[in-house]
Amino acid sequence: MPQDPHAHFDHTLLDLIEHSPTGVLPATPSYMDALKRLLATHQVYASANHKGGYVTTRSLTSAPLFYAQNLDDVIAGRVEPESLENNFSIFERYLVSLSEPLRERAAERRTVVVGKPSHHRAKHIGDQVVVAQDPINTLFLVPGTGPHPGLPGNYLYGSVFQRHANVNSPWLIHLHDNDDGLALCDLPTMAVAWDKLQEVLSSAPFNMNELDALGFSFK
């Protein structure tokens, strides 16, 4: 079987990106041609850390995933879904993993990523005050990219959540880059939603356009 004539140069380019502090490449035709090949095969992403730079997919394979620490216990039925680690705590663990300059940039996106704290809604039923349960919503962050780079550290962010706060509610997973890239997946039950989330987590790092294989649609 003939060997790819570009393989050696492409491998050299991957090494060059990984050993560069910014991932910025020389703008020569040979480098740009190799970069196009690597982008097309999802071996390289535009860097979220350095404008004009790139990051290799293989360098992100060891990046940590961020999701509720007790998610496995919820999936196994050992604790109730309402006991999931809260989204602010998950986001703070992501921030701690970043270097100081990246941490400051990422912290500016806290409200966008996490949202505002939910307030339980109280209502009177006769003489009793009943607090309405909010739909379950849990944050996750995974290494990857979309139509635009991800958050600092090259992370996509998303949530798995109930559409309505009842046991028969359908569920939704959505995933975002740092701009308007959005991937969605509708799920019929909590069990199916948890299984799909595990698929997403185990597939990282990825380009969002690869999620069509997992049943996601794009907006």
Side-chain angles (χ1 to χ4, degrees), residues 19 30 70-71 85-86 98 102 104-105 125 128 134 150-151 165 176 178 189 198 200 207 210-211 214:
H19 288 90
S30 57
N70 58 347
L71 180 61
E85 179 186 8
N86 70 68
L98 302 173
L102 296 181
E104 293 177 4
R105 285 172 45 202
I125 299 179
Q128 295 183 325
D134 289 311
L151 298 176
H176 304 261
N178 74 354
T189 66
Q198 294 286 19
V200 172
N207 189 309
E210 297 177 273
L211 290 179
L214 298 183

Side-chain angles (χ1 to χ4, degrees), residues 25-36:
L25 300 172
T28 64
S30 57
Y31 278 110
M32 293 300 100
D33 287 345
L35 179 61
K36 290 177 183 177

Side-chain angles (χ1 to χ4, degrees), residues 6 11 14 27 45 66 68 74 76 82 84-85 91 93 95 97 100 102 126-127 142-143 159 164 208 215-217:
H6 304 297
H11 183 80
L14 290 171
Y45 304 149
F66 298 96
V74 171
E82 293 80 4
L84 279 165
E85 179 186 8
F91 189 79
R93 290 195 284 109
L95 289 182
S97 75
E100 189 61 37
L102 296 181
D127 296 330
V142 294
S159 293
H164 311 289
M208 282 169 59
F216 281 75
S217 58

Side-chain angles (χ1 to χ4, degrees), residues 69-184:
Q69 289 183 316
N70 58 347
L71 180 61
D72 290 342
D73 289 329
V74 171
I75 292 173
R78 291 187 289 269
V79 300
E80 293 300 316
E82 293 80 4
S83 301
L84 279 165
E85 179 186 8
N86 70 68
N87 291 343
F88 286 89
S89 174
I90 297 169
F91 189 79
E92 287 303 312
R93 290 195 284 109
Y94 154 67
L95 289 182
V96 169
S97 75
L98 302 173
S99 62
E100 189 61 37
L102 296 181
R103 189 179 307 163
E104 293 177 4
R105 285 172 45 202
E108 296 172 359
R109 302 296 302 273
R110 181 186 280 106
T111 301
V112 173
V113 174
V114 179
K116 296 179 180 179
S118 61
H119 299 285
H120 295 294
R121 302 174 301 283
K123 61 181 179 180
H124 289 271
I125 299 179
D127 296 330
Q128 295 183 325
V129 176
V130 178
V131 177
Q133 178 63 51
D134 289 311
I136 297 166
N137 181 318
T138 188
L139 174 71
F140 64 94
L141 299 103
V142 294
T145 192
H148 314 280
L151 298 176
N154 297 289
Y155 278 87
L156 303 170
Y157 69 95
S159 293
V160 53
F161 60 93
Q162 289 177 294
R163 288 189 178 273
H164 311 289
N166 63 67
V167 294
N168 296 317
S169 171
W171 288 66
L172 179 69
I173 296 178
H174 63 183
L175 198 63
H176 304 261
D177 57 25
N178 74 354
D179 200 333
D180 59 0
L182 172 61
L184 301 169

